[in-house]
Amino acid sequence: LSLYSSPAHETKYVENPQTQLEEGVSRLRHVMEPYTAWSLCSDFFSEGFEFLQNPPAGFYPRLGVIGFAGIVGLFLARGSKIKKLVYPAGLMGVGASMYYPQQAVAVAQVAGTHLYDWSLQGYIAVESIWKDN
């Protein structure tokens, strides 16, 4: 452009057309809007914010130990994708169960019951397939 010439007076701003990704995100936002506007979500986030502002004694050190156990699990889980899921979750579970033993027992009881139910359903399914053949 010359410094002495003026630009054309008929310039017009033209927006780029939306990509498929932008359209998909826009549709998702419009679909999810009624659910994110619920007062339940705002109550949940405000309670969480208040909890983090005034945590119980020793909360952050415990959180640090549990989080560090997860990072160690990621470090030890080189190779397999299954290991990358199992090791961090397992080590974090062990760390959390050391600090919260009563809750760990309750979770273990519920998980044991569900695991027993699933194994029984699997056994029944395999048995019915075996008898059919």
Side-chain angles (χ1 to χ4, degrees):
L1 290 174
S2 172
L3 293 174
Y4 302 106
S5 65
S6 62
H9 293 287
E10 297 179 16
T11 59
K12 185 178 177 182
Y13 175 74
V14 178
E15 279 193 37
N16 292 334
Q18 283 189 338
T19 64
Q20 288 180 344
L21 177 63
E22 290 173 334
E23 290 176 10
V25 170
S26 176
R27 273 189 252 122
L28 180 66
R29 287 181 66 201
H30 288 295
V31 168
M32 295 303 292
E33 188 175 15
Y35 303 109
T36 57
W38 285 350
S39 63
L40 176 67
C41 291
S42 63
D43 291 343
F44 175 75
F45 288 121
S46 64
E47 288 176 10
F49 181 75
E50 289 174 13
F51 179 79
L52 292 177
Q53 289 294 323
N54 302 316
F59 174 74
Y60 286 121
R62 291 176 180 181
L63 184 66
V65 168
I66 294 167
F68 183 72
I71 293 171
V72 169
L74 280 175
F75 179 73
L76 294 175
R78 292 189 176 167
S80 171
K81 290 183 181 181
I82 301 291
K83 285 182 184 179
K84 288 182 182 179
L85 290 174
V86 172
Y87 283 17
L91 288 176
M92 288 173 69
V94 168
S97 67
M98 288 181 1
Y99 287 117
Y100 305 104
Q102 293 171 341
Q103 289 87 348
V105 168
V107 167
Q109 288 175 344
V110 171
T113 303
H114 285 293
L115 187 62
Y116 176 75
D117 290 341
W118 289 340
S119 64
L120 191 60
Q121 289 173 359
Y123 176 77
I124 291 169
V126 169
E127 185 180 32
S128 66
I129 291 171
W130 188 272
K131 286 184 179 180
D132 289 342
N133 290 335

